[in-house]
Amino acid sequence: MCGITGWASFHRDARLHAPVIEAMTATLTPRGPDASGVWLGERAAIGHRRLAVVDPVGGVQPMADRPDEPACVLTYSGEVYNHHDLRAELRGRGHVFRTRSDTEVVLRAYAEWGEDLAEHLEGMFAFVVWDEHAQRLLLVRDRLGVKPLFWAAIDGGLAFASEPKALFAHPEIRPRVDADGLREAYSLVFDTGPTVWSGVREVDPGGLLVLDRNGIRERRYWHLEARDHTDDREATVERVRELVGAAARSRLGADVPLCSLLSGGIDSTVLTALLADEIRLREGSQARIRSYAVDYSDQAERFTADVLRTGHDTPFAIEAGAFIGTDHSTVVLDPHALLDPEHRRAVVVARDSPIGVGDMDTSLYLLFGELRAHSTVALSGEAADEVFGGYPWFHRPEALAAPTFPWLLVTGDEAAMPLNPELDLRVGEFREETYRAALAAVPHLDGETPTEHRQREMQHLSLTRWLRQLLHRKDRLSMAQGLEVRVPYCDHRLVEYVFNVPWALKSFDGREKSLLRAMGAGLAPDSVLRRPKNHYPATHHPDYNRGLQDLAREALAVEQVRALADEARIKPCLDTPPDRLDWGHRLRLERVVDLALWLDHHQPELVL
């Protein structure tokens, strides 16, 4: 995993601007602590920060197809899991390889297939190729959007980066925020394309962008399609078992230590069991995968169920680790550490955004820091809820009937920081318009029942919008610690298959994630298989709530924060006794604190 950045311009000689590409590349040092490299040509500048995972010696970047007078130069972030098969295919087509790296496979694949190479790749990736002969810049992002890729227009071309902060090191791109950006961020509709930053956009998941002398063009090389499902229940469960197993096995390739995130839920337990079985098969019966869970020092005594959490994770994680046979550890965090201004600032800097989930972001960042002391790669159960129908909105009649994004029934105004009504951002109107457009993009089959029609909409919204912000969160906070996180449930073949399984099969036992539970029989303890959905843990310590209220008061002392926030709606959260703050009100305070940190660090120009 790495950080990539650079630009191409037909109006300037990039060779005269080495300090700029070096500065842009330096901003991504946490993403790639192992090495740095830049390449300069007349029309393009390419930068790379490397986290060495595969072929540490041979995978140096930026990578050129030949050392003298290169025709193509690549900067690449991510992992292509079928690189061994592609290498064999490309050798059969006459290509000669100098390294063992998947980076070189991507480079040779471009030489063979041009921009169509993306359709041959399986994995998580964001990469850019400068074609010296064609004078063309190609930007490509993986199908689900696991790895980020941002861009912005400059004179005569465009600049690109893994994170917006690298773009802001380019003299033509400023951190500017307008009403559209605030509306985009605080509406919680999770568009891809626009960002909170004016003029900064994302390459679509499953999309590519081409810049040449004719301008810029974008297209999607992958999207979800509606297809008939003909397998019965037994065949469907077996096919899911095959796909999840293949996805897990393919993500074990690394030349560095790896581990698994094991929360004690069904998603991470099934995944960890498959990984553990494969490692024992490869390395011997005594081999054990390291697994990790997160907890808080007060959680056993103070846990209180809320709208997102039904139970304490740690006992289930310990039981799952013993059942599977992992080398399991629980990272116990002091709730007071979550209030540390330096930790909170590091999280906001990593996100480049004022929108997060407060203590859950800070604790995830600290957890990844602990993991990085022992491992370079971690595997996570992210996306299982989106793929298999695990969220409450798949099952609650009020969510199914609501004419809006289903997560807003949980987050909505209680979670999004109330903005100053004088800004007149028309968030409600924007949500309605975006929701209609999102539903129009959902593929359907002729003759679907009303239930099937609605559930397909729910899954498409979850996979193409809700999942994106979770993947952003996991990428930014892990890479800020120099840790690569792989997400097997985002395998596009698994996603395509389960998306088209009828809802009656997805919920055949009357519960969430029926297919995953059925295929997980024997891989997880019965207590885990029966356990209801539980979200990422949050601290319940009143000292944290009290400290958060103090931080929010300090934030509101900042004039710029007061200009953006609706103080009248925040004040009740400050006056509530700390031991009575509910989840929604607490998240409102988290957003105020993060807004102040974001404004202070990024110093955005506000154009409202």
PDB file of all heavy atoms in Angstrom, residues 505-523:
ATOM      1  N   LEU A 505     -33.905 -15.637  -0.205  1.00  0.00           N
ATOM      2  CA  LEU A 505     -32.751 -16.483   0.094  1.00  0.00           C
ATOM      3  C   LEU A 505     -31.777 -15.782   1.033  1.00  0.00           C
ATOM      4  O   LEU A 505     -31.151 -16.433   1.884  1.00  0.00           O
ATOM      5  CB  LEU A 505     -32.033 -16.871  -1.201  1.00  0.00           C
ATOM      6  CG  LEU A 505     -32.503 -18.130  -1.912  1.00  0.00           C
ATOM      7  CD1 LEU A 505     -31.695 -18.350  -3.192  1.00  0.00           C
ATOM      8  CD2 LEU A 505     -32.361 -19.347  -1.003  1.00  0.00           C
ATOM      9  N   LYS A 506     -31.621 -14.470   0.872  1.00  0.00           N
ATOM     10  CA  LYS A 506     -30.696 -13.730   1.747  1.00  0.00           C
ATOM     11  C   LYS A 506     -31.162 -13.745   3.200  1.00  0.00           C
ATOM     12  O   LYS A 506     -30.359 -13.562   4.108  1.00  0.00           O
ATOM     13  CB  LYS A 506     -30.577 -12.272   1.277  1.00  0.00           C
ATOM     14  CG  LYS A 506     -29.732 -12.044   0.036  1.00  0.00           C
ATOM     15  CD  LYS A 506     -29.420 -10.557  -0.087  1.00  0.00           C
ATOM     16  CE  LYS A 506     -28.654 -10.244  -1.365  1.00  0.00           C
ATOM     17  NZ  LYS A 506     -29.561  -9.955  -2.480  1.00  0.00           N
ATOM     18  N   SER A 507     -32.473 -13.933   3.406  1.00  0.00           N
ATOM     19  CA  SER A 507     -33.037 -13.873   4.764  1.00  0.00           C
ATOM     20  C   SER A 507     -33.837 -15.127   5.073  1.00  0.00           C
ATOM     21  O   SER A 507     -34.838 -15.077   5.775  1.00  0.00           O
ATOM     22  CB  SER A 507     -33.923 -12.636   4.894  1.00  0.00           C
ATOM     23  OG  SER A 507     -34.965 -12.658   3.911  1.00  0.00           O
ATOM     24  N   PHE A 508     -33.381 -16.269   4.583  1.00  0.00           N
ATOM     25  CA  PHE A 508     -34.195 -17.486   4.647  1.00  0.00           C
ATOM     26  C   PHE A 508     -34.447 -17.975   6.066  1.00  0.00           C
ATOM     27  O   PHE A 508     -35.417 -18.692   6.325  1.00  0.00           O
ATOM     28  CB  PHE A 508     -33.579 -18.612   3.797  1.00  0.00           C
ATOM     29  CG  PHE A 508     -32.296 -19.177   4.327  1.00  0.00           C
ATOM     30  CD1 PHE A 508     -32.284 -20.115   5.356  1.00  0.00           C
ATOM     31  CD2 PHE A 508     -31.083 -18.782   3.774  1.00  0.00           C
ATOM     32  CE1 PHE A 508     -31.104 -20.646   5.822  1.00  0.00           C
ATOM     33  CE2 PHE A 508     -29.887 -19.318   4.254  1.00  0.00           C
ATOM     34  CZ  PHE A 508     -29.897 -20.253   5.279  1.00  0.00           C
ATOM     35  N   ASP A 509     -33.583 -17.583   7.040  1.00  0.00           N
ATOM     36  CA  ASP A 509     -33.809 -18.025   8.421  1.00  0.00           C
ATOM     37  C   ASP A 509     -34.484 -16.948   9.263  1.00  0.00           C
ATOM     38  O   ASP A 509     -34.545 -17.055  10.492  1.00  0.00           O
ATOM     39  CB  ASP A 509     -32.507 -18.482   9.073  1.00  0.00           C
ATOM     40  CG  ASP A 509     -31.475 -17.347   9.193  1.00  0.00           C
ATOM     41  OD1 ASP A 509     -31.764 -16.220   8.743  1.00  0.00           O
ATOM     42  OD2 ASP A 509     -30.371 -17.610   9.723  1.00  0.00           O
ATOM     43  N   GLY A 510     -34.984 -15.894   8.567  1.00  0.00           N
ATOM     44  CA  GLY A 510     -35.711 -14.849   9.264  1.00  0.00           C
ATOM     45  C   GLY A 510     -34.846 -13.837   9.971  1.00  0.00           C
ATOM     46  O   GLY A 510     -35.349 -13.020  10.760  1.00  0.00           O
ATOM     47  N   ARG A 511     -33.529 -13.843   9.668  1.00  0.00           N
ATOM     48  CA  ARG A 511     -32.610 -12.934  10.344  1.00  0.00           C
ATOM     49  C   ARG A 511     -31.692 -12.268   9.332  1.00  0.00           C
ATOM     50  O   ARG A 511     -31.749 -12.540   8.140  1.00  0.00           O
ATOM     51  CB  ARG A 511     -31.768 -13.710  11.362  1.00  0.00           C
ATOM     52  CG  ARG A 511     -32.532 -14.226  12.558  1.00  0.00           C
ATOM     53  CD  ARG A 511     -31.563 -14.701  13.616  1.00  0.00           C
ATOM     54  NE  ARG A 511     -30.604 -13.653  13.972  1.00  0.00           N
ATOM     55  CZ  ARG A 511     -29.548 -13.848  14.755  1.00  0.00           C
ATOM     56  NH1 ARG A 511     -29.310 -15.047  15.255  1.00  0.00           N
ATOM     57  NH2 ARG A 511     -28.727 -12.864  15.036  1.00  0.00           N
ATOM     58  N   GLU A 512     -30.851 -11.390   9.857  1.00  0.00           N
ATOM     59  CA  GLU A 512     -29.862 -10.741   9.016  1.00  0.00           C
ATOM     60  C   GLU A 512     -28.765 -11.723   8.620  1.00  0.00           C
ATOM     61  O   GLU A 512     -28.479 -12.680   9.348  1.00  0.00           O
ATOM     62  CB  GLU A 512     -29.259  -9.519   9.728  1.00  0.00           C
ATOM     63  CG  GLU A 512     -28.241  -9.816  10.810  1.00  0.00           C
ATOM     64  CD  GLU A 512     -28.843 -10.324  12.111  1.00  0.00           C
ATOM     65  OE1 GLU A 512     -30.082 -10.330  12.234  1.00  0.00           O
ATOM     66  OE2 GLU A 512     -28.076 -10.719  13.013  1.00  0.00           O
ATOM     67  N   LYS A 513     -28.182 -11.542   7.454  1.00  0.00           N
ATOM     68  CA  LYS A 513     -27.005 -12.291   6.991  1.00  0.00           C
ATOM     69  C   LYS A 513     -27.193 -13.806   7.030  1.00  0.00           C
ATOM     70  O   LYS A 513     -26.319 -14.552   7.486  1.00  0.00           O
ATOM     71  CB  LYS A 513     -25.761 -11.854   7.777  1.00  0.00           C
ATOM     72  CG  LYS A 513     -25.366 -10.419   7.539  1.00  0.00           C
ATOM     73  CD  LYS A 513     -24.069 -10.026   8.183  1.00  0.00           C
ATOM     74  CE  LYS A 513     -24.245  -9.701   9.639  1.00  0.00           C
ATOM     75  NZ  LYS A 513     -23.124  -8.938  10.209  1.00  0.00           N
ATOM     76  N   SER A 514     -28.350 -14.278   6.553  1.00  0.00           N
ATOM     77  CA  SER A 514     -28.644 -15.718   6.590  1.00  0.00           C
ATOM     78  C   SER A 514     -27.592 -16.532   5.842  1.00  0.00           C
ATOM     79  O   SER A 514     -27.184 -17.609   6.294  1.00  0.00           O
ATOM     80  CB  SER A 514     -30.024 -15.981   5.981  1.00  0.00           C
ATOM     81  OG  SER A 514     -31.019 -15.240   6.638  1.00  0.00           O
ATOM     82  N   LEU A 515     -27.174 -16.041   4.668  1.00  0.00           N
ATOM     83  CA  LEU A 515     -26.219 -16.801   3.854  1.00  0.00           C
ATOM     84  C   LEU A 515     -24.863 -16.913   4.544  1.00  0.00           C
ATOM     85  O   LEU A 515     -24.228 -17.979   4.521  1.00  0.00           O
ATOM     86  CB  LEU A 515     -26.054 -16.144   2.482  1.00  0.00           C
ATOM     87  CG  LEU A 515     -27.279 -16.174   1.572  1.00  0.00           C
ATOM     88  CD1 LEU A 515     -27.018 -15.348   0.305  1.00  0.00           C
ATOM     89  CD2 LEU A 515     -27.632 -17.608   1.204  1.00  0.00           C
ATOM     90  N   LEU A 516     -24.411 -15.835   5.151  1.00  0.00           N
ATOM     91  CA  LEU A 516     -23.115 -15.867   5.837  1.00  0.00           C
ATOM     92  C   LEU A 516     -23.192 -16.784   7.056  1.00  0.00           C
ATOM     93  O   LEU A 516     -22.254 -17.536   7.348  1.00  0.00           O
ATOM     94  CB  LEU A 516     -22.699 -14.454   6.246  1.00  0.00           C
ATOM     95  CG  LEU A 516     -21.299 -14.315   6.845  1.00  0.00           C
ATOM     96  CD1 LEU A 516     -20.233 -14.766   5.853  1.00  0.00           C
ATOM     97  CD2 LEU A 516     -21.035 -12.874   7.282  1.00  0.00           C
ATOM     98  N   ARG A 517     -24.313 -16.755   7.766  1.00  0.00           N
ATOM     99  CA  ARG A 517     -24.473 -17.627   8.925  1.00  0.00           C
ATOM    100  C   ARG A 517     -24.479 -19.094   8.497  1.00  0.00           C
ATOM    101  O   ARG A 517     -23.871 -19.950   9.152  1.00  0.00           O
ATOM    102  CB  ARG A 517     -25.767 -17.275   9.656  1.00  0.00           C
ATOM    103  CG  ARG A 517     -25.967 -18.055  10.955  1.00  0.00           C
ATOM    104  CD  ARG A 517     -27.185 -17.581  11.734  1.00  0.00           C
ATOM    105  NE  ARG A 517     -27.035 -16.182  12.096  1.00  0.00           N
ATOM    106  CZ  ARG A 517     -27.655 -15.179  11.477  1.00  0.00           C
ATOM    107  NH1 ARG A 517     -28.471 -15.422  10.474  1.00  0.00           N
ATOM    108  NH2 ARG A 517     -27.450 -13.944  11.852  1.00  0.00           N
ATOM    109  N   ALA A 518     -25.150 -19.384   7.383  1.00  0.00           N
ATOM    110  CA  ALA A 518     -25.207 -20.766   6.915  1.00  0.00           C
ATOM    111  C   ALA A 518     -23.838 -21.267   6.482  1.00  0.00           C
ATOM    112  O   ALA A 518     -23.437 -22.386   6.818  1.00  0.00           O
ATOM    113  CB  ALA A 518     -26.202 -20.883   5.765  1.00  0.00           C
ATOM    114  N   MET A 519     -23.097 -20.447   5.743  1.00  0.00           N
ATOM    115  CA  MET A 519     -21.780 -20.893   5.283  1.00  0.00           C
ATOM    116  C   MET A 519     -20.760 -20.909   6.415  1.00  0.00           C
ATOM    117  O   MET A 519     -19.740 -21.581   6.339  1.00  0.00           O
ATOM    118  CB  MET A 519     -21.267 -20.028   4.137  1.00  0.00           C
ATOM    119  CG  MET A 519     -20.908 -18.604   4.504  1.00  0.00           C
ATOM    120  SD  MET A 519     -19.363 -18.016   3.730  1.00  0.00           S
ATOM    121  CE  MET A 519     -18.123 -18.877   4.651  1.00  0.00           C
ATOM    122  N   GLY A 520     -21.052 -20.161   7.501  1.00  0.00           N
ATOM    123  CA  GLY A 520     -20.122 -20.089   8.624  1.00  0.00           C
ATOM    124  C   GLY A 520     -20.292 -21.192   9.637  1.00  0.00           C
ATOM    125  O   GLY A 520     -19.521 -21.257  10.612  1.00  0.00           O
ATOM    126  N   ALA A 521     -21.275 -22.064   9.427  1.00  0.00           N
ATOM    127  CA  ALA A 521     -21.474 -23.164  10.370  1.00  0.00           C
ATOM    128  C   ALA A 521     -20.213 -24.010  10.463  1.00  0.00           C
ATOM    129  O   ALA A 521     -19.667 -24.447   9.452  1.00  0.00           O
ATOM    130  CB  ALA A 521     -22.657 -24.012   9.918  1.00  0.00           C
ATOM    131  N   GLY A 522     -19.743 -24.200  11.677  1.00  0.00           N
ATOM    132  CA  GLY A 522     -18.519 -24.961  11.899  1.00  0.00           C
ATOM    133  C   GLY A 522     -17.267 -24.108  11.933  1.00  0.00           C
ATOM    134  O   GLY A 522     -16.227 -24.562  12.421  1.00  0.00           O
ATOM    135  N   LEU A 523     -17.357 -22.885  11.420  1.00  0.00           N
ATOM    136  CA  LEU A 523     -16.201 -21.990  11.424  1.00  0.00           C
ATOM    137  C   LEU A 523     -16.182 -21.069  12.642  1.00  0.00           C
ATOM    138  O   LEU A 523     -15.141 -20.512  12.978  1.00  0.00           O
ATOM    139  CB  LEU A 523     -16.193 -21.133  10.153  1.00  0.00           C
ATOM    140  CG  LEU A 523     -15.995 -21.869   8.829  1.00  0.00           C
ATOM    141  CD1 LEU A 523     -16.192 -20.916   7.652  1.00  0.00           C
ATOM    142  CD2 LEU A 523     -14.603 -22.496   8.778  1.00  0.00           C
TER     143      LEU A 523
END
